[in-house]
Amino acid sequence: MKIRALGSAIATVLLALGAQAVAQAPAVAPPASKPLSTSLGMVVFPAQGQTAQQQSQDEGECYAWAKGQTGVDPMAPPPAAQPAAQPAKAAPAADGSRLRGAARGAAAGAVIGEVANDDAGKGAAIGATAGVVAGGRQSRKNQQAAAQQATQQQQQATQQQQAAQQEQLDLFKKGFAACLQSKGYTVN
C-alpha cells in the first residue's frame, strides 16, 4: 500500500513538472508543409472560402485523380536517361585512308620522279610517305566528324526527352487544374 501511495505521489509530481514545462515552452507552430499546387509551380486560390485544410485535402484528391487520368506522377523522379552507346574508336588507318594515300602518293611521286629525270623509285617512295601522312590526316578528320555527329545526336535525343517530359507535366497540370476548378478554386 505504501508503494502504491509513493507511486501515485511520484506520478502527481511528474505530471505537475510536465505541465509546468509545457507552460514555459515557447509556442512554436509546426512547420507548414508545402501545398501540392506550389510544388507544381501553380497558384490556387480558394474562391469559395475553403479552409487551408480543405484545400489541402482537395489538392490531394485532384492530384490522385490527375495522376490516374494521365498516368503521370510529377513528384516521382524521371526515369534515368539511357546513355547513347559511344562509337568505338577506330585504330589509326583502320578505314584505309593511309593505304589509299600511300598508293596515290607513290603513283604521283613516280610520275614526278620520271619527269624530273630523277629516279622514279625514289619519287615513288617520297610520294608514298607523303601519301601516308595525308591519308592519316584524312582519317583523323573522318573520326573527328563522326564524334561530332554522335555528340549532336546525343544532344538531340536529350532535348527530345526533355520536351516529352515537359509535355507530360503540362498534361498533368491541365488535369489537376480542371479538377480543382470543379471544386471551386481559381487556378493560375
Side-chain angles (χ1 to χ4, degrees):
M1 187 125 142
K2 283 186 174 184
I3 294 177
R4 259 191 178 170
L6 183 60
S8 182
I10 291 174
T12 304
V13 169
L14 289 175
L15 283 174
L17 287 175
Q20 184 180 11
V22 170
Q24 292 177 352
V28 177
S33 62
K34 193 174 181 181
L36 285 172
S37 56
T38 304
S39 298
L40 295 170
M42 301 173 76
V43 178
V44 176
F45 177 75
Q48 296 176 351
Q50 297 94 328
T51 64
Q53 182 179 1
Q54 181 63 46
Q55 181 175 345
S56 179
Q57 180 181 342
D58 289 342
E59 285 186 10
E61 290 171 3
C62 287
Y63 185 94
W65 180 83
K67 180 179 167 185
Q69 292 296 310
T70 64
V72 177
D73 185 359
M75 298 299 178
Q82 298 294 334
Q86 294 292 331
K89 282 199 169 192
D95 63 355
S97 296
R98 289 179 187 243
L99 183 61
R100 286 191 300 274
R104 282 193 295 265
V111 169
I112 291 171
E114 190 65 38
V115 169
N117 288 332
D118 223 5
D119 186 6
K122 265 185 173 177
I126 292 170
T129 303
V132 167
V133 171
R137 187 177 331 119
Q138 184 62 43
S139 177
R140 284 188 297 278
K141 282 183 182 178
N142 292 346
Q143 288 175 352
Q144 191 176 31
Q148 209 170 28
Q149 184 179 10
T151 301
Q152 287 174 346
Q153 288 173 344
Q154 178 64 30
Q155 288 173 344
Q156 286 176 339
T158 301
Q159 289 172 349
Q160 288 172 347
Q161 183 180 13
Q162 289 172 345
Q165 288 173 348
Q166 186 61 47
E167 199 171 296
Q168 287 181 332
L169 180 61
D170 291 345
L171 179 64
F172 177 89
K173 285 181 176 182
K174 188 182 275 188
F176 183 71
C179 178
L180 285 172
Q181 288 169 343
S182 73
K183 292 181 180 270
Y185 294 89
T186 302
V187 182
N188 289 325

